[in-house]
Amino acid sequence: MSVVVVSAGLSVPSSTRLLGERLAAAATGQAPADVRVIELRDLAVDIAHNFTSGFPAPALADAMDAVAGADGLIVVTPVFSASYSGLFKSFFDVLGVRDREALAGKPVLIAATGGTPRHSLVLDHALRPLFAHLRAIVVPTGVYAASQDWGDKGLDARIERAAGELAALVGALPAAPGGTGGGAISVTRGGAADDKFDARNVVPFEEQLAALRSAG
């Protein structure tokens, strides 16, 4: 599989990039993969120009192509004003304008860094809705790392769990035409895999709702 890490960290070195790299290392340790890290700070000017011109510079176009073509995505943002950074959101805005289907059906692991544990809800209140809107498949476990979490075993455990979910989801989705791939994801409860979820048999909510209306 191919994994792309999108990091919106601004400093050098960046704890945001470090978290993304640790997640990628954990995911690829469970399944062979090619990993590419995209630093949005290097594309900030190109992203701004894309908004005004409507055309991406070569470096930005290459980054968007890499994201659209990846089997799995790891996205990491610092927390600004209790949400994702403007640079982070802007990148996915221009990506969506260029290709509305770029993330449709793509497994995405969401992560964030911040100075205090109080911002951990950013994962479910901001990041998860954003990528649900973009029709990505967001892995169940998100990873938030506050300043005091680094070096803590709890962060290590969350990284391993989220990375494992990403690797399993990428491996479970149907392969491209002509390829091979499974369709079932093992759901573990109480330490044992006792259920199966088949990604190929998911019925969109709109269709389920229409069926209920016609039946009524």
Side-chain angles (χ1 to χ4, degrees), residues 142-196:
V143 179
Y144 177 81
S147 299
Q148 60 263 47
D149 288 332
W150 296 99
D152 185 86
K153 292 182 179 179
L155 177 60
D156 295 338
R158 293 196 301 275
I159 287 174
E160 290 296 331
R161 178 175 179 176
E165 291 170 354
L166 178 65
L169 188 56
V170 170
L173 291 179
T180 59
I185 303 170
S186 296
V187 179
T188 301
R189 297 190 181 92
D194 59 3
D195 196 3
K196 295 287 184 181

Side-chain angles (χ1 to χ4, degrees), residues 108-177:
V108 175
L109 194 168
I110 56 174
T113 58
T116 170
R118 292 194 296 272
H119 288 309
S120 61
L121 290 177
V122 69
L123 295 174
D124 292 322
H125 285 215
L127 286 167
R128 198 174 296 277
L130 170 63
F131 289 96
H133 172 74
L134 296 173
R135 299 174 58 201
I137 303 175
V138 185
V139 303
T141 301
V143 179
Y144 177 81
S147 299
Q148 60 263 47
D149 288 332
W150 296 99
D152 185 86
K153 292 182 179 179
L155 177 60
D156 295 338
R158 293 196 301 275
I159 287 174
E160 290 296 331
R161 178 175 179 176
E165 291 170 354
L166 178 65
L169 188 56
V170 170
L173 291 179

